[in-house]
Amino acid sequence: MKFGKSICVLNVGGTRYAFTRDVIRDFPLRRVSRLHACATEKEVLELCDDYDRDRNEFFFDRHAQAFVFIMLYVRSGKLRLLPGVCELSFYTEMLYWGLESAHLDSCCQKRLDDRLSEIGLDGLSEEDGGGSANETQSVSDPGQRGALSGRAKWLERTRRAFEEPNSSIGAQLLASVSVIFVIVSMVMLCASTLPDWDTAKRTTVEEHRIVEAVCIGWFTAECTMRFLVARDKWDFLRRPLNIIDVIAITPYYVTMALARAGMPGAGLGVAGVILRVLRMMRVFWLMKLARHFLGLQTLGLTLRRCYREMVMLMVFVCVAMAIYSALAQLLEHGLDLGSQNQDYASIPAAAWWVIISMTTVGYGDVYPVTVGGRVLGGMCVVSGIVLLALPITFIYHSFVQCYHELRLRSARYARSISMEMLQ
């Protein structure tokens, strides 16, 4: 649209906000950024309720306080529910301005998911948010997410394709290819440890090199692409899965560089051992499957939310292990009653027996022989069962909640993909 003035005013429920044309063009809220692409006043009125050409002011008859919280998201990148307002009402405001439940912080997203499950909905349509039919199509179309400028829209679509495998059909195809390469790489890694692998490798060396190069090439391209389209590059580099990707990819290129320099990895001594250790890090590529499978996502989210309970569990185990290992070493070896048990010659050695007894594993390689040691062993097993059971209840309930949240989110993505296929 050819704006009459360089300053545009948004009037939302009586509250006025002034922005420049450049800010409107790249505004994070889809409904606002679309104003810049309007060519006529009729198109403008399809996005807002009224328009004053003289003052270049756009009127939106929406909830003013809700928009204040949405503006906080625009400025800080964090979106929370409005206190004292129904979650569904605030969600309709989000849909109206072009936001989704995924933009909410995890705590508020859980509240919204619980509310949606109570009324039997997987999500609200854009019509509930007050938009037109055309706007509904734009919300359900994953290709319209993000800012409407060409480059920003392409970056957002690409980012969602790599980071959210369930966001579109193309993302699902990309995820399927990635899973295939992960499986092939894992099969190659496992086969490389077989006794007959060296002989087979010498007879089909070119085939093995080609398969390995293709897998590494795919992982390198995927990691590079995800870095280029990431919103926050520094946050991308700090994520554990991305660090694992880099560590798993790097040894291949280091090995190739050393081979070209005439220094094969097998004869590098300590450096060769380090390279082999890093190469074995490829097994952590299995963690990439967490992006594609609900069960692994649930496990990761549960561990992240229950880290306090996990720390508490480790403290329980460590305290009990220190006490029982000291007593076991005293009863089996320290009293020197003529039948010293050499398996308990030190407290660290006794600690191994304590941990396998508390977890009821019981390998049988170490066991007490004195009466006092056997009584202590029984107490160790019983107390281990009790201590391990105490935090499990909290972790179990958290697991159920995480699975419920992720299942609702997956259902919303499935609905979006179905609408994309119908269109």
Short mmCIF file of all heavy atoms in Angstrom, two decimals, residues 254-291:
data_model
loop_
_atom_site.label_atom_id
_atom_site.label_comp_id
_atom_site.label_asym_id
_atom_site.label_seq_id
_atom_site.Cartn_x
_atom_site.Cartn_y
_atom_site.Cartn_z
N VAL A 254 38.33 -34.43 9.76
CA VAL A 254 39.70 -34.43 10.29
C VAL A 254 40.47 -35.64 9.75
O VAL A 254 41.64 -35.52 9.34
CB VAL A 254 39.67 -34.44 11.83
CG1 VAL A 254 41.08 -34.60 12.38
CG2 VAL A 254 39.02 -33.18 12.36
N THR A 255 39.81 -36.80 9.72
CA THR A 255 40.46 -38.00 9.19
C THR A 255 40.82 -37.84 7.71
O THR A 255 41.91 -38.22 7.27
CB THR A 255 39.54 -39.21 9.38
OG1 THR A 255 39.21 -39.35 10.76
CG2 THR A 255 40.22 -40.48 8.90
N MET A 256 39.90 -37.27 6.95
CA MET A 256 40.17 -37.05 5.53
C MET A 256 41.32 -36.08 5.32
O MET A 256 42.17 -36.29 4.44
CB MET A 256 38.91 -36.53 4.85
CG MET A 256 37.74 -37.52 4.82
SD MET A 256 38.12 -39.04 3.92
CE MET A 256 38.30 -38.39 2.26
N ALA A 257 41.36 -35.03 6.15
CA ALA A 257 42.45 -34.06 6.02
C ALA A 257 43.80 -34.69 6.37
O ALA A 257 44.81 -34.45 5.70
CB ALA A 257 42.18 -32.85 6.93
N LEU A 258 43.82 -35.52 7.41
CA LEU A 258 45.08 -36.18 7.79
C LEU A 258 45.50 -37.20 6.73
O LEU A 258 46.70 -37.38 6.48
CB LEU A 258 44.90 -36.86 9.14
CG LEU A 258 44.69 -35.93 10.34
CD1 LEU A 258 44.44 -36.74 11.61
CD2 LEU A 258 45.90 -35.02 10.54
N ALA A 259 44.53 -37.89 6.14
CA ALA A 259 44.86 -38.86 5.09
C ALA A 259 45.48 -38.16 3.89
O ALA A 259 46.43 -38.67 3.28
CB ALA A 259 43.61 -39.63 4.68
N ARG A 260 44.93 -37.00 3.54
CA ARG A 260 45.51 -36.25 2.41
C ARG A 260 46.90 -35.74 2.73
O ARG A 260 47.73 -35.57 1.83
CB ARG A 260 44.60 -35.08 2.06
CG ARG A 260 43.31 -35.50 1.36
CD ARG A 260 42.47 -34.29 0.98
NE ARG A 260 41.29 -34.67 0.22
CZ ARG A 260 41.26 -34.81 -1.10
NH1 ARG A 260 42.38 -34.63 -1.80
NH2 ARG A 260 40.15 -35.17 -1.71
N ALA A 261 47.15 -35.50 4.02
CA ALA A 261 48.47 -35.04 4.43
C ALA A 261 49.46 -36.18 4.63
O ALA A 261 50.60 -35.96 5.04
CB ALA A 261 48.36 -34.23 5.72
N GLY A 262 49.01 -37.42 4.38
CA GLY A 262 49.89 -38.57 4.50
C GLY A 262 50.04 -39.08 5.90
O GLY A 262 51.01 -39.78 6.21
N MET A 263 49.08 -38.77 6.77
CA MET A 263 49.13 -39.24 8.16
C MET A 263 47.84 -39.97 8.47
O MET A 263 46.88 -39.38 8.96
CB MET A 263 49.30 -38.06 9.12
CG MET A 263 50.62 -37.32 8.95
SD MET A 263 50.80 -35.99 10.16
CE MET A 263 49.47 -34.91 9.65
N PRO A 264 47.74 -41.27 8.17
CA PRO A 264 46.52 -42.03 8.46
C PRO A 264 46.23 -42.07 9.95
O PRO A 264 47.14 -42.10 10.77
CB PRO A 264 46.83 -43.42 7.91
CG PRO A 264 48.32 -43.50 7.87
CD PRO A 264 48.80 -42.11 7.57
N GLY A 265 44.96 -42.07 10.26
CA GLY A 265 44.55 -42.00 11.67
C GLY A 265 45.02 -43.16 12.51
O GLY A 265 45.21 -43.03 13.71
N ALA A 266 45.21 -44.36 11.91
CA ALA A 266 45.57 -45.53 12.70
C ALA A 266 46.95 -45.40 13.31
O ALA A 266 47.27 -46.06 14.29
CB ALA A 266 45.49 -46.78 11.82
N GLY A 267 47.82 -44.55 12.76
CA GLY A 267 49.17 -44.46 13.28
C GLY A 267 49.45 -43.18 14.01
O GLY A 267 50.59 -42.75 14.08
N LEU A 268 48.45 -42.57 14.58
CA LEU A 268 48.64 -41.29 15.23
C LEU A 268 48.77 -41.40 16.74
O LEU A 268 48.81 -40.40 17.43
CB LEU A 268 47.47 -40.35 14.90
CG LEU A 268 47.42 -39.86 13.45
CD1 LEU A 268 46.20 -38.99 13.26
CD2 LEU A 268 48.67 -39.09 13.09
N GLY A 269 48.77 -42.60 17.28
CA GLY A 269 48.91 -42.76 18.72
C GLY A 269 47.71 -42.20 19.45
O GLY A 269 46.57 -42.57 19.22
N VAL A 270 47.97 -41.28 20.38
CA VAL A 270 46.90 -40.68 21.19
C VAL A 270 45.90 -39.96 20.31
O VAL A 270 44.68 -40.03 20.53
CB VAL A 270 47.52 -39.70 22.22
CG1 VAL A 270 46.41 -39.02 23.01
CG2 VAL A 270 48.45 -40.45 23.17
N ALA A 271 46.38 -39.25 19.28
CA ALA A 271 45.47 -38.54 18.38
C ALA A 271 44.53 -39.52 17.66
O ALA A 271 43.35 -39.24 17.47
CB ALA A 271 46.26 -37.73 17.36
N GLY A 272 45.08 -40.69 17.28
CA GLY A 272 44.23 -41.68 16.63
C GLY A 272 43.17 -42.22 17.56
O GLY A 272 42.03 -42.46 17.16
N VAL A 273 43.54 -42.42 18.84
CA VAL A 273 42.56 -42.89 19.82
C VAL A 273 41.45 -41.86 20.00
O VAL A 273 40.26 -42.19 20.07
CB VAL A 273 43.25 -43.19 21.16
CG1 VAL A 273 42.21 -43.51 22.23
CG2 VAL A 273 44.22 -44.34 21.01
N ILE A 274 41.83 -40.58 20.06
CA ILE A 274 40.84 -39.52 20.22
C ILE A 274 39.89 -39.48 19.04
O ILE A 274 38.66 -39.33 19.19
CB ILE A 274 41.54 -38.16 20.40
CG1 ILE A 274 42.32 -38.15 21.72
CG2 ILE A 274 40.52 -37.01 20.38
CD1 ILE A 274 43.15 -36.90 21.93
N LEU A 275 40.43 -39.64 17.82
CA LEU A 275 39.59 -39.64 16.64
C LEU A 275 38.61 -40.81 16.65
O LEU A 275 37.45 -40.68 16.27
CB LEU A 275 40.45 -39.68 15.37
CG LEU A 275 41.10 -38.37 14.94
CD1 LEU A 275 41.97 -38.60 13.73
CD2 LEU A 275 40.05 -37.32 14.65
N ARG A 276 39.09 -41.97 17.10
CA ARG A 276 38.20 -43.12 17.15
C ARG A 276 37.10 -42.93 18.19
O ARG A 276 35.95 -43.35 17.98
CB ARG A 276 39.00 -44.39 17.44
CG ARG A 276 39.81 -44.89 16.24
CD ARG A 276 40.36 -46.28 16.48
NE ARG A 276 41.42 -46.28 17.48
CZ ARG A 276 42.71 -46.09 17.21
NH1 ARG A 276 43.10 -45.86 15.97
NH2 ARG A 276 43.61 -46.12 18.18
N VAL A 277 37.47 -42.30 19.30
CA VAL A 277 36.45 -42.01 20.32
C VAL A 277 35.41 -41.04 19.78
O VAL A 277 34.20 -41.22 19.96
CB VAL A 277 37.11 -41.45 21.60
CG1 VAL A 277 36.04 -40.94 22.58
CG2 VAL A 277 37.96 -42.51 22.27
N LEU A 278 35.87 -40.00 19.10
CA LEU A 278 34.94 -39.03 18.52
C LEU A 278 34.09 -39.67 17.44
O LEU A 278 32.89 -39.35 17.29
CB LEU A 278 35.71 -37.84 17.96
CG LEU A 278 36.41 -36.94 18.98
CD1 LEU A 278 37.17 -35.83 18.27
CD2 LEU A 278 35.40 -36.36 19.96
N ARG A 279 34.69 -40.57 16.67
CA ARG A 279 33.90 -41.24 15.63
C ARG A 279 32.79 -42.08 16.24
O ARG A 279 31.71 -42.21 15.69
CB ARG A 279 34.81 -42.10 14.77
CG ARG A 279 34.08 -42.84 13.67
CD ARG A 279 35.04 -43.54 12.73
NE ARG A 279 35.82 -42.58 11.96
CZ ARG A 279 36.71 -42.92 11.04
NH1 ARG A 279 36.92 -44.20 10.77
NH2 ARG A 279 37.39 -42.00 10.38
N MET A 280 33.08 -42.68 17.41
CA MET A 280 32.05 -43.47 18.08
C MET A 280 30.91 -42.59 18.58
O MET A 280 29.82 -43.09 18.88
CB MET A 280 32.68 -44.25 19.25
CG MET A 280 31.81 -45.36 19.79
SD MET A 280 31.37 -46.59 18.55
CE MET A 280 32.99 -47.23 18.12
N MET A 281 31.14 -41.27 18.65
CA MET A 281 30.08 -40.36 19.04
C MET A 281 28.93 -40.35 18.04
O MET A 281 27.86 -39.81 18.32
CB MET A 281 30.64 -38.93 19.18
CG MET A 281 31.55 -38.72 20.37
SD MET A 281 30.65 -38.72 21.93
CE MET A 281 29.76 -37.18 21.77
N ARG A 282 29.14 -40.95 16.88
CA ARG A 282 28.05 -41.01 15.91
C ARG A 282 26.84 -41.75 16.46
O ARG A 282 25.73 -41.57 15.96
CB ARG A 282 28.52 -41.72 14.64
CG ARG A 282 29.58 -40.98 13.86
CD ARG A 282 29.95 -41.76 12.61
NE ARG A 282 31.10 -41.19 11.93
CZ ARG A 282 31.66 -41.71 10.85
NH1 ARG A 282 31.16 -42.82 10.34
NH2 ARG A 282 32.70 -41.14 10.28
N VAL A 283 27.07 -42.58 17.46
CA VAL A 283 25.93 -43.31 18.02
C VAL A 283 24.90 -42.34 18.59
O VAL A 283 23.70 -42.65 18.67
CB VAL A 283 26.42 -44.30 19.10
CG1 VAL A 283 26.85 -43.58 20.36
CG2 VAL A 283 25.34 -45.32 19.42
N PHE A 284 25.35 -41.14 18.98
CA PHE A 284 24.41 -40.16 19.52
C PHE A 284 23.55 -39.53 18.44
O PHE A 284 22.64 -38.76 18.75
CB PHE A 284 25.18 -39.07 20.29
CG PHE A 284 25.76 -39.56 21.59
CD1 PHE A 284 27.12 -39.82 21.69
CD2 PHE A 284 24.96 -39.76 22.69
CE1 PHE A 284 27.67 -40.28 22.88
CE2 PHE A 284 25.49 -40.21 23.89
CZ PHE A 284 26.85 -40.47 23.98
N TRP A 285 23.82 -39.87 17.18
CA TRP A 285 22.90 -39.42 16.13
C TRP A 285 21.52 -40.02 16.31
O TRP A 285 20.54 -39.51 15.77
CB TRP A 285 23.46 -39.79 14.76
CG TRP A 285 24.39 -38.78 14.22
CD1 TRP A 285 24.48 -37.46 14.58
CD2 TRP A 285 25.38 -38.98 13.21
NE1 TRP A 285 25.47 -36.83 13.88
CE2 TRP A 285 26.04 -37.74 13.02
CE3 TRP A 285 25.79 -40.07 12.46
CZ2 TRP A 285 27.06 -37.57 12.09
CZ3 TRP A 285 26.81 -39.90 11.54
CH2 TRP A 285 27.44 -38.67 11.36
N LEU A 286 21.44 -41.09 17.08
CA LEU A 286 20.13 -41.66 17.37
C LEU A 286 19.25 -40.66 18.12
O LEU A 286 18.02 -40.74 18.06
CB LEU A 286 20.27 -42.94 18.20
CG LEU A 286 20.84 -44.16 17.45
CD1 LEU A 286 21.09 -45.30 18.42
CD2 LEU A 286 19.88 -44.59 16.35
N MET A 287 19.90 -39.71 18.81
CA MET A 287 19.13 -38.68 19.50
C MET A 287 18.38 -37.78 18.52
O MET A 287 17.40 -37.13 18.89
CB MET A 287 20.05 -37.83 20.38
CG MET A 287 20.77 -38.62 21.46
SD MET A 287 19.64 -39.43 22.62
CE MET A 287 18.89 -38.01 23.38
N LYS A 288 18.83 -37.74 17.26
CA LYS A 288 18.13 -36.96 16.25
C LYS A 288 16.72 -37.51 16.02
O LYS A 288 15.83 -36.78 15.56
CB LYS A 288 18.91 -36.98 14.93
CG LYS A 288 20.25 -36.26 14.99
CD LYS A 288 21.09 -36.61 13.79
CE LYS A 288 20.52 -36.02 12.52
NZ LYS A 288 20.63 -34.56 12.49
N LEU A 289 16.54 -38.79 16.33
CA LEU A 289 15.21 -39.38 16.15
C LEU A 289 14.19 -38.77 17.10
O LEU A 289 12.99 -38.95 16.90
CB LEU A 289 15.28 -40.89 16.36
CG LEU A 289 16.21 -41.67 15.41
CD1 LEU A 289 16.21 -43.14 15.76
CD2 LEU A 289 15.78 -41.47 13.96
N ALA A 290 14.67 -38.08 18.14
CA ALA A 290 13.74 -37.44 19.07
C ALA A 290 12.90 -36.38 18.39
O ALA A 290 11.81 -36.04 18.86
CB ALA A 290 14.51 -36.83 20.25
N ARG A 291 13.41 -35.82 17.27
CA ARG A 291 12.63 -34.82 16.55
C ARG A 291 11.46 -35.45 15.79
O ARG A 291 10.56 -34.75 15.37
CB ARG A 291 13.52 -34.08 15.55
CG ARG A 291 14.64 -33.26 16.19
CD ARG A 291 15.30 -32.37 15.14
NE ARG A 291 16.36 -31.58 15.74
CZ ARG A 291 17.64 -31.88 15.67
NH1 ARG A 291 18.01 -32.99 15.04
NH2 ARG A 291 18.56 -31.12 16.21
#
